[in-house]
């Protein structure tokens, strides 16, 4: 039987594709062999190909990437039953690919087991000798304490959320935790915990063989003690996914086993492992079930253990289906390990997830959830995925809570009022033009139903908002607002453009009226390559094809990046990378005195001049004309605000980006639908929403200028 690919999209019947060829392109491109019509999927998302008799899936520079077993992957050697999400694992609404290869379902050869056993013994002996001889990463004193993973503050110093739980509870003995919890934990995470010396040679060897066979890292082989080493001793273990870090982790684990009893180590793990709602299983049991970890039932214990690989991705409040799958996976492991009978496992799997009535209240009411998620993404960019996951950071953000509330409420009200007009989704981001600080960010109408951030993750066509860049190229070549420019019909790239062409007008008039032909004439005169370079200078990182349609906004972009580009114009030509984080404090460096913590001010990071001041002033003149006399009149506040509208075919994307100079606010607004269906509206709707938010928000809570 030939291998196949099964495509799962929420709300649609699964589609199975027989893999009879050698190469398949996946994406929204109509020319792809496997077309996937979903707004989160890039035109050229991934490449599936058969190489040397094996199938592999490779990311093609897509915006949202590929996720497998809770982590992002670039290249995956496929095995029967693999499930790959086309985008972040935490978003269950995204499509999933399931690879099926029935011919590979066979038993391992007996000689393979014999070889594995021989290697195990040798590896185990070698690791023991090397581990006990280590002195480079000494562990002294008692077990290190665990501190909170992440604490967020808005720009006025008020906590947004806190990983430090003043009500943290710990048990005094391993026996104080439910037997079902201990059995579930050891079955899932470390079946040989009671006899290995901190490092499991069998697990390491098995993981090594699996990784070699798969051509990549498929299994890790970490024991509970190694996990403790990573969590409690990050300075000794180090950072990054490197061999040196794995070696240090091994040495620390061996030393922990030499200094502390198994009971002490297991108790520390049960009390201190991070589970998304606090530290330890007691905190998690109280949060989700409103009772002690000593009273956990078998299904409850398996649910909490299932959180370990991904506390956020398996959160039963936000992702109940993922939580259920993880729980049942733990139960299946318990059956295989002989800690449950098949009947016990079957009954437990058939038990629905039942949380305490108030369990999800805190999650639902989490302030600024889209913003908080963006903080985590920005933190990953700054310190790396591994270090960010370890937590223990105090993050001071640029969040303006008053503005954030106005944006959330106004957007939701607008979408409710316009649901019958074809607009069902929207996103808004507000930047401080001087610092690049993200003052407010809302990525959709309802975080509880979709955590997908349409401001920073969704690729959408910007329409005429992209005309900023050909006009900047023209200004750089000496064209001024009063300079006559051609706006006659134009043939270019095999197409004729004539709709709305005025024949000729001034640069200012052409920009204000969003004349397509004028923009095309400018781009052809000064070259499409120059337009692409200008967009890159202004922080646009998404793919851009140097074709005429680029000028009219056919290449998909991110709202956040476009808003930052407009912020550079408002800031006199200085571009700053947008970020939620203003200052970062590493609490690992200050276990005793917070005043001694290592701090990093990020206000001036990644700033550069991309435009001479005089050219920025010219562009500001053009942007003001859009609001005062052009297509953006719906955004007029009566001052010197400026901006640009963008509408794509059939109103599929409605965009407005504008700045208000008194407050140094630059706001990007997008309206449309996730399925890319037409709205039948124009970008005047986005400009009107921009006006409503600006008018309602007043002065916000504080002026961020001058803050470190």
């Amino acid at each position: 039987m030939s291998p196949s690919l099964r495509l799962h999209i929420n709300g649609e019947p699964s589609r199975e594709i027989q893999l009879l060829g050698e190469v398949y392109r996946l994406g929204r491109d109509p020319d792809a062999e496997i077309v996937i019509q979903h707004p989160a999927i890039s035109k050229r998302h991934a490449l599936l190909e058969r190489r040397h008799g094996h199938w592999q899936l490779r990311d093609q520079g897509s915006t949202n990437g590929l996720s497998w077993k809770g982590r992002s992957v670039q290249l995956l050697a496929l095995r029967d039953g693999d499930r790959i999400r086309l985008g972040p694992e935490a978003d269950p609404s995204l499509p999933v690919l399931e690879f099926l290869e029935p011919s590979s379902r066979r038993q391992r050869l007996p000689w393979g087991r014999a070889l594995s056993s021989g290697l195990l013994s040798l590896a185990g002996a070698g690791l023991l000798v090397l581990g006990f001889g280590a002195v480079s990463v000494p562990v002294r004193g008692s077990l290190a304490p665990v501190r909170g993973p992440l604490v967020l503050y808005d720009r006025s110093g008020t906590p947004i959320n806190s990983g430090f739980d003043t009500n943290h509870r710990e048990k005094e003995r391993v026996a104080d935790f439910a037997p079902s919890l201990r059995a579930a934990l050891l079955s899932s995470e470390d079946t040989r915990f009671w006899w290995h010396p901190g490092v499991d040679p069998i697990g390491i060897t098995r993981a090594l063989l699996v990784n070699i066979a798969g051509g990549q890292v498929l299994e890790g082989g970490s024991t509970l003690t190694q996990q403790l080493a990573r969590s409690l001793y990050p300075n000794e273990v180090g950072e990054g996914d490197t061999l040196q870090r794995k070696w240090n982790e091994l040495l620390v684990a061996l030393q922990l086993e030499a200094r502390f009893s198994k009971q002490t180590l297991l108790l520390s793990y049960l009390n201190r492992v991070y589970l998304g709602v606090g530290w330890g299983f007691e905190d998690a049991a109280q949060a989700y079930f409103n009772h002690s970890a000593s009273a956990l039932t078998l299904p409850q214990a398996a649910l909490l253990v299932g959180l370990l690989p991904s506390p956020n991705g398996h959160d039963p409040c936000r992702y109940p289906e993922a939580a259920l799958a993880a729980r049942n996976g733990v139960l299946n492991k318990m059956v295989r390990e002989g800690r449950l009978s098949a009947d016990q496992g079957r009954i437990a799997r058939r038990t629905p997830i039942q949380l305490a009535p108030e369990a999800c209240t805190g999650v639902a009411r989490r302030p600024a959830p889209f913003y908080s998620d963006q903080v985590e993404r920005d933190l990953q960019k700054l310190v790396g995925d591994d270090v960010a996951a370890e937590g223990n950071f105090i993050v001071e953000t640029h969040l303006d809570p008053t503005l954030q509330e106005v944006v959330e409420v106004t957007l939701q009200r607008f979408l409710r009022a316009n649901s019958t007009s074809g607009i069902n989704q929207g996103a808004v981001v507000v930047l401080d033009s001087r610092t690049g600080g993200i003052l407010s960010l809302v990525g959709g109408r309802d975080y509880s139903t979709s955590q997908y951030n349409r401001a920073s993750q969704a690729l959408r066509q910007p329409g005429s908002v992209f005309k900023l860049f050909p006009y900047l190229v023209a200004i750089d070549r000496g064209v001024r607002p009063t300079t006559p420019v051609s706006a006659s019909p134009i043939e270019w790239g095999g197409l004729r453009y004539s709709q709305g062409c005025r024949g000729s007008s001034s640069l200012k008039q052409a920009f204000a009226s969003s004349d397509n032909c004028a923009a095309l004439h400018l781009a052809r005169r000064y070259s499409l390559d120059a337009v692409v370079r200008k967009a890159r200078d202004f922080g646009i990182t998404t793919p851009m094809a140097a074709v005429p349609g680029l000028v009219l906004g056919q290449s998909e972009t991110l709202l956040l990046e476009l808003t930052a580009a407009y912020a550079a114009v408002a800031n006199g030509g200085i571009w700053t990378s947008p970020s939620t984080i203003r200052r970062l404090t590493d609490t690992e460096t200050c276990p005793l005195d917070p005043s001694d913590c290592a701090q990093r001010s990020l206000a001036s990071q990644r700033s550069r001049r991309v435009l001479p001041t005089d050219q920025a002033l010219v562009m500001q003149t053009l942007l003001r004309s859009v609001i005062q006399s052009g297509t953006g009149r719906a955004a007029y506040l009566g001052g010197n605000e400026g901006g640009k509208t963008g509408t794509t075919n059939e109103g599929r994307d409605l965009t407005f980006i504008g700045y208000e100079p008194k407050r140094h606010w630059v706001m990007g607004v997008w309206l449309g639908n996730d399925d890319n269906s037409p709205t039948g509206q124009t970008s005047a709707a986005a400009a009107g929403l921009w006006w409503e938010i600006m008018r309602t928000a007043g002065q916000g809570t504080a002026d961020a200028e001058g803050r470190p």
Side-chain angles (χ1 to χ4, degrees):
M1 183 180 293
S2 62
S4 62
L5 201 65
R6 189 174 293 162
L7 175 62
H8 306 278
I9 301 178
N10 284 352
E12 300 181 12
S14 298
R15 174 158 58 106
E16 188 161 341
I17 303 102
Q18 295 295 320
L19 302 178
L20 304 176
E22 298 290 323
V23 180
Y24 295 83
R25 296 168 296 171
L26 291 79
R28 286 194 296 107
D29 193 328
D31 294 330
E33 283 76 17
I34 301 177
V35 179
I36 306 174
Q37 292 297 340
H38 190 281
I41 303 302
S42 300
K43 286 187 174 181
R44 294 171 292 277
H45 201 104
L47 182 71
L48 177 68
E49 57 182 337
R50 190 171 183 266
R51 296 175 64 91
H52 310 296
H54 300 284
W55 288 91
Q56 63 180 32
L57 186 67
R58 184 189 302 272
D59 183 75
Q60 292 291 96
S62 66
T63 298
N64 296 312
L66 306 172
S67 299
W68 176 78
K69 291 190 175 183
R71 62 177 180 267
S72 176
V73 294
Q74 293 293 320
L75 176 66
L76 182 67
L78 296 174
R79 297 190 298 173
D80 180 54
D82 276 341
R83 294 174 65 87
I84 306 96
R85 190 175 300 277
L86 301 180
E89 184 64 32
D91 192 343
S93 67
L94 300 181
V96 172
L97 298 175
E98 183 180 7
F99 179 74
L100 303 172
E101 193 175 29
S103 61
S104 68
R105 300 169 191 172
R106 57 184 182 271
Q107 298 293 323
R108 294 187 179 185
L109 296 175
W111 65 264
R113 294 197 189 102
L115 177 61
S116 297
S117 299
L119 290 172
L120 296 175
S121 301
L122 182 62
L127 290 173
L128 284 173
V129 173
L130 291 172
F132 282 113
V135 294
S136 58
V137 284
V139 174
R140 300 184 177 91
S142 58
L143 280 172
V146 172
R147 294 170 294 278
L150 195 66
V151 180
L152 308 184
Y153 293 92
D154 65 27
R155 68 180 192 174
S156 65
T158 302
I160 303 172
N161 70 345
S162 176
F164 292 94
D165 186 358
T166 57
N167 296 316
H168 172 64
R169 296 154 287 235
E170 293 191 0
K171 297 290 189 181
E172 295 183 357
R173 303 175 303 158
V174 170
D176 292 335
F177 293 90
S180 58
L181 174 62
R182 289 175 272 155
L185 175 64
L186 296 180
S187 295
S188 178
E189 298 297 311
D190 196 346
T191 60
R192 288 170 289 274
F193 172 78
W194 292 111
W195 66 262
H196 67 62
V199 181
D200 183 2
I202 294 177
I204 289 178
T205 305
R206 184 186 67 244
L208 178 63
L209 294 174
V210 170
N211 294 339
I212 292 174
Q216 59 186 308
V217 178
L218 303 174
E219 293 187 10
S222 293
T223 65
L224 293 184
T225 315
Q226 287 176 276
Q227 295 178 43
L228 271 179
R230 283 198 304 269
S231 177
L232 303 185
Y233 299 92
N235 292 335
E236 288 81 359
V237 171
E239 303 175 357
D241 189 15
T242 64
L243 288 176
Q244 182 62 52
R245 172 173 174 150
K246 295 298 294 183
W247 177 247
N248 291 342
E249 176 189 298
L250 180 151
L251 298 180
V252 172
L254 290 168
Q255 292 180 74
L256 290 177
E257 291 273 352
R259 290 182 54 83
F260 304 101
S261 69
K262 287 285 189 180
Q263 289 281 345
T264 300
L265 294 173
L266 181 57
L267 179 63
S268 179
Y269 189 98
L270 290 164
N271 277 327
R272 300 175 178 184
V273 67
Y274 181 58
L275 293 167
V277 290
W279 290 105
F281 285 95
E282 178 66 16
D283 287 358
Q286 295 286 353
Y288 284 122
F289 307 115
N290 197 28
H291 61 66
S292 174
S294 62
L296 289 170
T297 65
L298 173 59
Q300 291 173 343
L303 179 72
L304 296 187
V305 172
L307 294 173
L308 288 171
S310 180
N312 294 322
H314 297 167
D315 184 337
C317 292
R318 296 169 58 185
Y319 310 114
E321 293 182 0
L324 180 64
R327 185 202 71 174
N328 291 347
V330 173
L331 292 169
N332 290 336
K333 289 180 180 178
M334 295 180 73
V335 172
R336 289 198 299 269
E337 292 295 323
R339 290 185 167 94
L340 288 180
S341 68
D343 286 343
Q344 290 173 318
R346 180 180 57 82
I347 294 172
R349 289 193 303 272
R350 295 174 65 88
T351 304
I353 293 178
Q354 295 180 327
L355 306 177
E358 66 276 14
C360 299
T361 303
V363 176
R365 295 181 179 178
R366 182 162 65 101
F370 282 112
Y371 194 100
S372 298
D373 285 356
Q374 188 63 37
V375 173
E376 295 187 25
R377 284 189 283 271
D378 289 345
L379 183 64
Q380 290 169 359
K381 292 178 182 177
L382 286 170
V383 301
D385 293 353
D386 290 343
V387 177
E390 293 172 356
N392 293 328
F393 291 104
I394 296 174
V395 183
E396 298 173 60
T397 74
H398 293 277
L399 177 68
D400 183 328
T402 299
L403 175 61
Q404 178 72 15
E405 184 176 4
V406 168
V407 171
E408 290 177 352
V409 172
T410 308
L411 176 62
Q412 290 175 359
R413 184 170 61 238
F414 177 92
L415 293 174
R416 286 196 299 269
N418 289 272
S419 60
T420 58
S421 65
I423 302 174
N424 294 297
Q425 269 298 351
V428 178
V429 59
V430 187
L431 306 180
D432 186 321
S433 62
R434 299 161 296 181
T435 65
I438 300 175
L439 305 176
S440 174
L441 184 145
V442 179
R445 66 180 300 155
D446 186 359
Y447 183 86
S448 65
T449 58
S450 173
Q451 294 77 49
Y452 185 60
N453 194 323
R454 296 154 187 84
S456 65
Q457 294 179 295
L459 279 174
R460 306 294 302 207
Q461 291 185 338
S464 294
V465 170
F466 196 85
K467 291 175 182 174
L468 173 74
F469 305 112
Y471 276 80
L472 283 172
V473 172
I475 292 170
D476 183 52
R477 305 299 172 86
V479 183
R480 291 297 177 258
T482 57
T483 303
V485 297
S486 176
S488 60
I490 180 174
E491 292 186 6
W492 194 8
L495 297 174
R496 178 176 173 80
Y497 302 89
S498 60
Q499 186 176 1
C501 297
R502 299 171 179 268
S504 67
S505 62
S506 70
L507 188 77
K508 180 178 177 180
Q509 292 170 336
F511 191 79
S513 62
S514 199
D515 192 298
N516 287 344
C517 291
L520 288 164
H521 276 286
L522 291 171
R524 188 164 69 173
R525 180 178 180 181
Y526 300 115
S527 87
L528 287 166
D529 288 338
V531 175
V532 171
R533 287 195 300 272
K534 186 65 71 174
R536 293 287 187 229
D537 288 344
F538 277 71
I540 305 302
T541 64
T542 50
M544 292 180 286
V547 297
L550 171 72
V551 178
L552 307 181
Q554 77 170 31
S555 292
E556 296 169 324
T557 54
L558 299 171
L559 180 64
L560 179 59
E561 290 187 351
L562 278 172
T563 306
Y566 276 75
V569 175
N571 194 35
I574 298 175
W575 174 89
T576 303
S577 177
S579 178
T580 56
I581 301 175
R582 180 169 58 84
R583 183 162 55 193
L584 184 65
T585 301
D586 186 353
T587 62
E588 289 287 354
T589 64
C590 53
L592 299 177
D593 186 357
S595 64
D596 294 333
C597 296
Q599 295 182 335
R600 261 189 289 175
S601 177
L602 306 174
S604 61
Q605 281 198 351
R606 296 190 62 192
S607 294
R608 63 176 185 268
R609 178 166 289 282
V610 294
L611 196 67
T613 303
D614 61 330
Q615 295 183 20
L617 294 175
V618 173
M619 194 68 239
Q620 290 175 14
T621 299
L622 270 58
L623 291 169
R624 286 195 296 270
S625 72
V626 173
I627 291 180
Q628 293 172 359
S629 60
T631 59
R633 288 188 293 272
Y636 184 59
L637 294 168
N640 291 319
E641 58 276 0
K644 186 71 184 77
T645 55
T647 306
T648 61
N649 292 340
E650 300 182 276
R652 298 176 189 273
D653 297 278
L654 314 174
T655 307
F656 182 82
I657 302 177
Y659 69 93
E660 201 284 300
K662 288 185 178 180
R663 292 173 285 191
H664 306 280
W665 288 358
V666 184
M667 184 190 308
V669 176
W670 170 84
L671 301 171
N673 297 302
D674 284 342
D675 62 1
N676 208 35
S677 58
T679 67
Q681 304 295 310
T682 71
S683 52
L689 177 58
W690 185 95
W691 177 87
E692 180 68 21
I693 294 172
M694 283 287 187
R695 184 186 64 84
T696 306
Q699 295 296 321
T701 58
D703 189 347
E705 188 174 22
R707 284 187 170 272

